[in-house]
Amino acid sequence: MILVTAANGNQGKLLIPRLLAAGHEVRASVQSEASADALRERGVTDIVVGNLSDADVIARAVDGVEKVYHIGATLSPFERAIGFAIVDAARDAGVSHFVFSSVLHAITTDLIQHELKRDVEEHLLSSGLEFTILQPANYMLAHRLKPAFEQGVFNLSWSLDRLQSLVYIGDIVEVAALVLGDSERHLGATYELVSPGRYTAYDLAEVISSVIERPVAANEITADTFSKIMLAGADPSTKTYELSVMRAISARYSSTDFVGNPNVLTWLLGRTPTTFEQFVREQYSLTEQ
């Protein structure tokens, strides 16, 4: 059995159908009944509901599990503690393979969420567990395209001139399924997952413009403005932390480029990874259906 944490998130809700289709038994860990209901609609039957800050929830999640795919919650101040706890619980439960979805350049410790993931990586390496670490670049996200499609504006909360690398979530999920399905081949590996291309905000806006055949302008917004969009409805007790994460992202990405290399992802997939243009075309086609 494979445990997937954050199972109704960006990766989880795409990964679980792949795993089920491949014949794997899957247990999903989610925080809310609403997320559990969404997964049940996709055919998931083994679901643990609760906050992984609770040791009892973690114990139920890992009980009888052979493999774990752990996705840390980037905007949670408890990400490090949860990561440590689930690694320890997996070791104590006799899990044979722990796959951790980390982040590209986790050593960049002025990025708050990177430092936490870096610490979880170190804890995993020291745990005695067999492991694989995936380090994806920034996700290509549909919600960033909506203003471009509807208003002709592509917003980023950092310097528009800085270069960045991206990765398609579908490609991450494909790699995760490969790693979990053929553990022996990937034990002890750390893989950077990066799609082709290095883009400024102006480059990204130009790609979007060429796809939708309308002008799209790149626009820089502040981290605080972006947070008002992203944190609507968030728990007020965690908003201060979440805002600090977003401000750190804006500061880092405005001061230096954040790029990677697509060679490893190309090798793992056995094909050219999905490009940003392909992603935009996919998302735009969905708006026209």
Side-chain angles (χ1 to χ4, degrees):
M1 178 178 289
I2 300 172
L3 169 67
V4 178
T5 66
N8 197 42
N10 288 316
Q11 287 192 52
K13 61 188 175 185
L14 297 179
L15 174 60
I16 287 177
R18 275 185 173 270
L19 296 176
L20 292 174
H24 298 291
E25 291 183 88
V26 176
R27 176 176 295 156
S29 171
V30 295
Q31 289 200 55
S32 70
E33 285 293 344
S35 290
D37 289 342
L39 291 176
R40 290 186 187 105
E41 291 177 0
R42 298 186 180 96
V44 184
T45 57
D46 191 343
I47 303 174
V48 172
V49 181
N51 195 312
L52 290 177
S53 295
D54 185 332
D56 290 338
V57 174
I58 289 183
R60 287 191 287 119
V62 301
D63 183 42
V65 164
E66 180 185 1
K67 304 177 184 181
V68 172
Y69 188 70
H70 177 55
I71 307 161
T74 294
L75 292 180
S76 169
F78 310 109
E79 182 178 359
R80 179 193 284 113
I82 290 172
F84 283 16
I86 197 166
V87 166
D88 292 345
R91 179 195 59 219
D92 295 344
V95 166
S96 64
H97 188 195
F98 194 106
V99 183
F100 177 43
S101 179
S102 182
V103 68
L104 183 67
H105 306 321
I107 59 173
T108 313
T109 54
D110 58 341
L111 289 167
I112 297 168
Q113 79 281 19
H114 285 230
E115 182 175 17
L116 302 190
K117 287 181 170 65
R118 191 220 71 84
D119 290 351
V120 176
E121 285 190 19
E122 182 178 33
H123 193 69
L124 177 57
L125 264 63
S126 304
S127 69
L129 283 165
E130 292 284 7
F131 68 88
T132 306
I133 297 171
L134 306 184
Q135 297 181 328
N138 290 329
Y139 295 170
M140 300 177 191
L141 292 170
H143 73 78
R144 289 190 180 276
L145 296 179
K146 187 175 181 181
F149 290 165
E150 296 179 356
Q151 304 161 25
V153 177
F154 181 70
N155 295 314
L156 279 183
S157 56
W158 55 82
S159 175
L160 304 180
D161 293 313
R162 287 296 181 186
L163 293 169
Q164 62 174 306
S165 292
L166 302 170
V167 69
Y168 178 57
I169 296 173
D171 288 352
I172 301 171
V173 166
E174 186 173 335
V175 168
L178 287 170
V179 167
L180 290 163
D182 189 9
S183 291
E184 289 296 325
R185 188 181 180 205
H186 301 285
L187 297 180
T190 298
Y191 295 136
E192 294 186 351
L193 306 182
V194 182
S195 296
R198 297 177 171 190
Y199 304 96
T200 67
Y202 300 110
D203 297 330
L204 295 171
E206 185 176 346
V207 170
I208 300 167
S209 178
S210 69
V211 170
I212 69 175
E213 298 181 339
R214 298 194 305 274
V216 174
N219 180 53
E220 184 176 351
I221 59 176
T222 67
D224 290 41
T225 298
F226 184 58
S227 72
K228 290 178 183 178
I229 300 169
M230 292 299 296
L231 303 182
D235 180 350
S237 68
T238 65
K239 275 192 174 182
T240 299
Y241 172 80
E242 293 165 335
L243 181 56
S244 69
V245 171
M246 292 185 180
R247 286 173 174 168
I249 290 171
S250 292
R252 175 70 188 192
Y253 291 178
S254 291
S255 66
T256 188
D257 299 334
F258 197 83
V259 297
N261 185 287
N263 287 349
V264 172
L265 182 55
T266 302
W267 167 68
L268 288 165
L269 294 173
R271 60 169 173 81
T272 301
T274 304
T275 65
F276 181 68
E277 180 179 351
Q278 289 172 319
F279 169 69
V280 175
R281 291 191 182 280
E282 172 196 271
Q283 293 302 311
Y284 190 55
S285 69
L286 295 176
T287 69
E288 297 186 314
Q289 292 179 2

